[in-house]
Amino acid sequence: MLTKRSTPSSTRRSTATRPDATSPAVAVYVDGAFQPAIDDVVADRILQDPAAIEFRRISRSKRDEAFVQQLAALLSTKTNPVEAKALPVASALYQRFHALPLWAQRTQTLPEKIRKVRDIVLKASDPEALLFSDLASTLEGEPDPGVSVVTALTKAEHA
């Protein structure tokens, strides 16, 4: 007969603890698409085809974390604060660029850098790649990339 051993609460590890800024995390992808949460649909897909699920280790630098924090602060409003995490920040960017009128989403009259940022965000399907790969490579060498992203958004909104 098996008996359940009790573990003292001081040695138990909570699954709800959040890693610090430099701790690696894991992102879940189903058929190559990022999944912000493991819900019933993802669980069902795991049961149907375990090979379709991919786990990617995510490790961010302090610079990446500062970029996310800055974007969250710049995108936040009194009525709609943006949490300083990659998914909410990427989501806020994506929503704002997709809220542009269609002509502003397609016009070629905007300066090249603004068009590049706009096009990257509009085509994004992975928040990690959007923030830490695509935008980072486009804005490489910029002294203040967070401000550059929000400036591109604002200029596209007023185009």
Side-chain angles (χ1 to χ4, degrees):
M1 180 168 145
L2 295 174
T3 59
K4 185 176 178 182
R5 243 176 66 179
S6 176
T7 306
S9 61
S10 62
T11 61
R12 264 187 263 157
R13 186 174 170 152
S14 170
T15 57
T17 57
R18 293 177 20 183
D20 62 40
T22 57
S23 295
V26 176
V28 179
Y29 292 77
V30 176
D31 297 319
F34 173 77
Q35 300 299 309
I38 299 177
D39 57 12
D40 292 343
V41 174
V42 173
D44 187 52
R45 188 70 175 120
I46 291 170
L47 293 172
Q48 290 175 5
D49 184 11
I53 308 303
E54 182 181 353
F55 297 96
R56 296 182 193 166
R57 186 177 176 162
I58 297 169
S59 182
R60 293 193 192 107
S61 68
K62 291 185 186 232
R63 182 181 171 147
D64 290 343
E65 289 297 327
F67 180 58
V68 169
Q69 298 245 343
Q70 182 183 38
L71 280 174
L74 292 169
L75 292 168
S76 290
T77 63
K78 288 181 182 179
T79 58
N80 191 16
V82 177
E83 187 178 5
K85 291 184 179 181
L87 183 58
V89 168
S91 179
L93 271 177
Y94 185 83
Q95 289 173 16
R96 293 270 301 269
F97 274 100
H98 274 274
L100 293 170
L102 281 178
W103 59 268
Q105 291 182 27
R106 297 180 181 160
T107 187
Q108 297 300 307
T109 61
L110 294 169
E112 182 181 3
K113 187 177 291 186
I114 293 170
R115 286 194 324 263
K116 281 184 177 181
V117 170
R118 176 200 64 193
D119 293 345
I120 286 168
V121 176
L122 289 173
K123 294 174 184 173
S125 62
D126 179 344
E128 296 292 325
L130 169 64
L131 295 174
F132 308 117
S133 175
D134 302 338
L135 285 176
S137 64
T138 298
L139 299 171
E140 191 172 342
E142 286 285 322
D144 211 349
V147 171
S148 297
V149 170
V150 175
T151 299
L153 172 61
T154 304
K155 288 189 177 185
E157 287 174 332
H158 294 98

